[in-house]
Amino acid sequence: MTKSILLVGVGGQGTILASKLLTIGLMQSGYDVKMSEIHGMSQRGGSVSSQVRYGEKVQSPVIELGGADMLISFEKMEALRWLEYLREDGKAIVNDYKINPMPVVSGVADYSDKILDELKAKVSDIIVVNAFEEALALGNPKVLNIVLLGTIVKMMDLTKVNWDEIIANEVKADFVELNQKALACGLKLV
């Protein structure tokens, strides 16, 4: 049976790196894995999504509407934006973090204060974390993506994978230890 994970965020949050590391971990766990990504206007703070599908034999990397078993959102408005892709009984991990999109910055739209309430009303299995605060406590807010990866690893029971080795192989040497600490931090959040 093929499982589908949708990771969504805003350009610059490290969504693609987290997806890549997850894909490597799933392959090391013996799964056939397909990953696709959409950058959109990611360099300008636009929406970024990455789709990871894994199982015995995966035919396509694309997740259809209502097909994601898990939605991981690096920014809370993105969770709402991509919610229609989550299965009715799917799980969501939402980073309680706000990045104002261009329509809000330009004054054309408002950013609702009730996004988390709306998500909780629509998703029965939801975990809200503050990966930004955790990353800040580690000394670098940019590792919020790896904190969130830790939550995914825990939720998917992939803790037997050697994540420290994967991080050491995939992250710049100067940031390996910090990212390993960020993953450990994420494991403790759920």
Side-chain angles (χ1 to χ4, degrees):
M1 177 187 234
T2 301
K3 295 282 189 180
S4 303
I5 304 164
L6 179 61
L7 296 93
V8 298
V10 174
Q13 285 191 292
T15 309
I16 303 300
L17 176 60
S19 301
K20 180 181 177 187
L21 297 176
L22 177 61
T23 297
I24 293 167
L26 286 165
M27 288 189 306
Q28 286 186 8
S29 296
Y31 293 107
D32 181 32
V33 185
K34 302 279 188 285
M35 178 185 146
S36 70
E37 56 199 57
I38 300 171
H39 297 269
M41 294 289 288
S42 62
Q43 292 183 344
R44 299 184 187 271
S47 186
V48 174
S49 72
S50 183
Q51 302 180 12
V52 178
R53 302 191 71 227
Y54 69 100
E56 197 171 298
K57 182 69 181 146
V58 179
Q59 302 300 324
S60 166
V62 180
I63 301 171
E64 68 280 353
L65 289 174
D69 296 284
M70 191 180 283
L71 170 69
I72 293 81
S73 182
F74 289 50
E75 196 278 341
K76 57 189 175 184
M77 186 181 282
E78 290 300 313
L80 204 53
R81 186 174 299 171
W82 290 90
L83 194 59
E84 65 187 345
Y85 282 86
L86 186 64
R87 292 166 44 125
E88 229 177 86
D89 61 343
K91 298 177 184 197
I93 300 172
V94 179
N95 185 24
D96 187 3
Y97 188 65
K98 174 182 175 181
I99 297 176
N100 285 329
M102 267 308 154
V104 173
V105 172
S106 63
V108 177
D110 292 322
Y111 194 111
S112 172
D113 292 335
K114 306 224 183 288
I115 288 175
L116 290 177
D117 294 334
E118 218 176 308
L119 287 167
K120 288 175 183 175
K122 294 178 179 179
V123 181
S124 60
D125 194 352
I126 185 170
I127 295 172
V128 178
V129 297
N130 196 326
F132 178 79
E133 290 297 323
E134 298 293 334
L136 207 53
L138 291 170
N140 188 335
K142 289 191 172 199
V143 295
L144 76 83
N145 61 333
I146 306 302
V147 172
L148 283 168
L149 176 62
T151 65
I152 300 166
V153 166
K154 183 73 172 222
M155 293 283 291
M156 293 176 63
D157 195 25
L158 293 170
T159 53
K160 289 181 177 46
V161 172
N162 189 342
W163 294 101
D164 284 346
E165 182 181 299
I166 293 171
I167 289 170
N169 291 336
E170 299 297 326
V171 174
K172 290 181 183 171
D174 293 348
F175 300 102
V176 168
E177 187 179 342
L178 175 63
N179 280 273
Q180 290 169 338
K181 287 178 181 175
L183 186 99
C185 177
L187 288 169
K188 294 175 187 167
L189 288 180
V190 291

